[in-house]
Amino acid sequence: PGYGIRKNGELVAWLLTHYITDSAICLGFLHVKEEWRRNGFARDLTEVICNYAKDHELTPVVDIFQDNVASLSLSKSLGFKKIGENHWFEGTIPE
């Protein structure tokens, strides 16, 4: 599922999910247009998806880059707890 917020017909904020398993829903693709930030839209959208998770007996999880201070702060304020770190590697497969 995904949710959005429109103001005057314009989509100004949205939150989509990365994936859903039998036990979890991974939130992702959260964006609020710059001129609409600091209005609580990110929190509102995250709470809607968390309520969806609760209604479907799923655990909400997030993947957040370490330098995304705003998302880390939001997730912490909503009760998410850090349980691990992922490390991404860039490269190519040799021919």
Side-chain angles (χ1 to χ4, degrees):
Y3 297 91
I5 295 174
R6 290 185 182 273
K7 293 292 183 181
N8 303 319
E10 176 189 4
L11 185 62
V12 299
W14 54 90
L15 175 59
L16 305 174
T17 53
H18 281 295
Y19 59 83
I20 299 176
T21 69
D22 291 339
S23 61
I25 181 170
C26 184
L27 289 62
F29 307 111
L30 171 62
H31 184 74
V32 178
K33 288 187 173 180
E34 192 166 341
E35 62 271 22
W36 290 96
R37 293 182 181 164
R38 307 206 54 83
N39 285 291
F41 296 153
R43 174 177 291 279
D44 293 343
L45 290 167
T46 303
E47 287 176 346
V48 167
I49 293 267
C50 287
N51 286 332
Y52 175 94
K54 182 179 177 184
D55 292 344
H56 292 84
E57 299 180 5
L58 299 169
T59 301
V61 299
V62 293
D63 282 327
I64 303 172
F65 287 104
Q66 291 178 351
D67 62 348
N68 189 339
V69 176
S71 289
L72 289 169
S73 177
L74 172 64
S75 63
K76 185 176 180 180
S77 74
L78 289 169
F80 285 87
K81 293 179 178 36
K82 182 178 176 181
I83 59 169
E85 291 185 8
N86 290 327
H87 299 275
W88 296 88
F89 298 91
E90 184 178 335
T92 59
I93 298 172
E95 294 183 21

